[in-house]
């Protein structure tokens, strides 16, 4: 809340403060009033059971403010302590132009911090994390040889230039072998993609697409599909087609029944009607 809002809350009657609430996502199934917990649990079960030589890329589509982050929190809550989880928010790094670097660093930390793996498991996880950072450094160094400015340019150049890819390719093969030995998948969550600029959206999808052949990685991407498709549009290739080449399984945010929304609304209204003085101004006939 801004300073003015804070002063208002401090001077307002205690019951008036309850009329305001922050627009924030829920963090637990105990807060789920819209009945999306069962969907989140089913999705979490599918993620936990993933075993493949390639990554699984899941898209969760919804408009701004429709509850994507809340649903993501339900999935993470269900999987917490069972598999490794990497929550990467590119929007926090966009201003610094370090999305690619931050992505690999967060992935390394998630691999190293997987739950329930014991002392020897942690040692192996730390080695895998080291290999991830090594792979990221090779990409950066190889691309910088082209003299392109910025990490975005260097990263994309490393992916596209055969003469400079030999070091990163060897490191990627080695890293893939290490990830293949994981007994459980690692979930990589990328939220708020639709808040990025067009160039940053394209970079995030290039990052995911170029690393989609790592085993035991599951990506959960959350965004407004219309915004992302518009950003991915190219001459001759609609953004929708590009998106379908990257995202293997896509879900729209589950629909909420009107009756459930009505119950939530009327429960909140009942609380308002109990406030001191509300009955004095109540017009039952008009209601």
């Amino acid at each position: 809340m801004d300073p003015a809002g804070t002063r208002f809350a401090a001077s307002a009657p205690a019951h008036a403060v309850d009329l305001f609430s922050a627009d924030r996502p829920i963090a637990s199934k105990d807060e789920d009033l819209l009945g999306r917990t069962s969907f989140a649990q089913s999705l979490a079960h599918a993620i936990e059971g993933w075993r493949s030589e390639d990554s699984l890329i899941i898209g969760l589509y919804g408009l701004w403010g429709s509850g994507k982050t809340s649903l993501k929190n339900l999935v993470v809550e269900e999987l917490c302590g069972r598999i490794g989880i990497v929550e990467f928010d590119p929007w926090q790094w966009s201003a610094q132009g370090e999305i690619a670097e931050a992505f690999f660093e967060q992935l390394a930390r998630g691999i190293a911090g997987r739950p329930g793996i014991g002392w020897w498991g942690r040692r192996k996880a730390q080695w895998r994390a080291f290999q991830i950072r090594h792979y990221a450094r090779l990409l950066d160094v190889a691309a910088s040889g082209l003299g392109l400015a910025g990490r975005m340019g260097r990263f994309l150049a490393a992916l596209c230039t055969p003469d400079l890819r030999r070091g990163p390719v060897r490191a990627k093969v080695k890293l893939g072998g290490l990830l293949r030995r994981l007994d459980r998948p690692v979930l990589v969550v990328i939220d708020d993609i639709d808040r990025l600029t067009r160039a940053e959206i394209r970079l995030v999808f290039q990052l995911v697409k170029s690393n989609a052949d790592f085993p035991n990685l599951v990506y959960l991407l959350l965004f407004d599909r219309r915004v992302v498709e518009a950003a991915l549009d190219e001459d001759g290739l609609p953004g929708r087609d590009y998106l379908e080449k990257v995202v293997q399984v896509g879900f729209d945010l589950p629909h909420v029944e009107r009756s459930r929304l009505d119950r939530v609304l009327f429960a909140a209204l009942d609380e308002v009607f109990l406030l001191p003085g509300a009955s004095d101004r109540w017009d039952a006939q008009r209601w």
Side-chain angles (χ1 to χ4, degrees):
M1 184 178 293
D2 59 35
T6 302
R7 289 194 297 271
F8 171 79
S11 60
H15 61 79
V17 178
D18 295 335
L19 295 176
F20 300 93
S21 65
D23 181 16
R24 61 172 182 82
I26 64 173
S28 169
K29 61 185 178 184
D30 296 334
E31 303 175 74
D32 179 26
L33 300 178
L34 302 183
R36 289 170 169 170
T37 296
S38 60
F39 176 86
Q41 291 173 336
S42 297
L43 182 55
H45 180 73
I47 291 171
E48 187 177 12
W50 178 254
R51 299 290 188 278
S52 177
E53 288 296 302
D54 295 323
S55 302
L56 173 65
I57 304 174
I58 302 171
L60 185 60
Y61 313 136
L63 303 177
W64 284 1
S66 58
K68 297 188 298 299
T69 301
S70 292
L71 184 54
K72 178 264 294 184
N73 289 343
L74 295 177
V75 173
V76 169
E77 179 188 34
E78 186 70 19
L79 291 172
C80 186
R82 290 156 54 179
I83 67 172
I85 299 174
V86 179
E87 293 199 60
F88 176 58
D89 188 352
W91 188 73
Q92 295 181 353
W93 298 93
S94 61
Q96 304 176 42
E98 297 178 344
I99 290 178
E101 181 182 28
F103 170 81
F104 286 111
E105 178 59 29
Q106 292 299 315
L107 180 58
R109 292 182 183 182
I111 293 288
R114 290 189 307 127
I117 56 178
W119 179 86
W120 181 241
R122 285 195 298 271
R123 294 286 299 218
K124 292 191 291 185
Q126 289 168 359
W127 176 245
R128 294 185 182 105
F130 171 80
Q131 293 298 326
I132 291 174
R133 294 185 176 102
H134 176 61
Y135 171 58
R137 283 195 298 270
L138 286 176
L139 288 177
D140 193 34
V141 171
S144 64
L146 296 178
L148 296 178
R151 291 189 179 274
M152 183 185 302
R154 294 199 300 271
F155 179 81
L156 296 177
L159 293 174
C160 301
T161 307
D163 292 340
L164 296 177
R165 285 186 60 189
R166 284 174 292 185
V169 164
R170 284 194 293 267
K172 187 175 184 179
V173 171
K174 183 176 182 179
L175 177 57
L178 292 173
L179 294 176
R180 192 171 291 110
R181 299 172 193 169
L182 293 175
D183 58 344
R184 288 170 290 178
V186 173
L187 175 63
V188 181
V189 181
I190 307 181
D191 198 357
D192 290 329
I193 299 176
D194 45 20
R195 297 173 68 180
L196 302 171
T197 66
R198 176 186 175 94
E200 290 162 351
I201 290 174
R202 297 170 70 87
L203 173 59
V204 167
F205 275 88
Q206 182 64 55
L207 274 169
V208 173
K209 185 174 183 294
S210 61
N211 293 286
D213 51 352
F214 280 133
N216 284 319
L217 289 186
V218 179
Y219 294 90
L220 178 60
L221 313 180
L222 299 97
F223 53 88
D224 183 334
R225 183 166 183 165
R226 299 174 305 172
V227 173
V228 168
E229 286 179 355
L232 295 177
D233 274 339
E234 282 187 352
D235 294 337
L237 179 63
R240 175 180 290 270
D241 293 345
Y242 182 90
L243 189 61
E244 290 177 352
K245 292 179 180 296
V246 177
V247 176
Q248 295 154 297
V249 183
F251 296 102
D252 291 313
L253 207 64
H255 176 71
V256 181
E257 304 90 340
R258 175 61 182 269
S259 58
R260 185 181 293 271
L261 287 176
D262 287 345
R263 288 198 298 272
V264 173
L265 170 64
F266 290 123
L269 286 175
D270 287 342
E271 293 182 7
V272 173
F273 297 155
L274 293 175
L275 292 175
S279 59
D280 298 336
R281 300 187 298 273
W282 177 249
D283 186 339
Q285 182 175 0
R286 182 176 181 183
W287 175 251

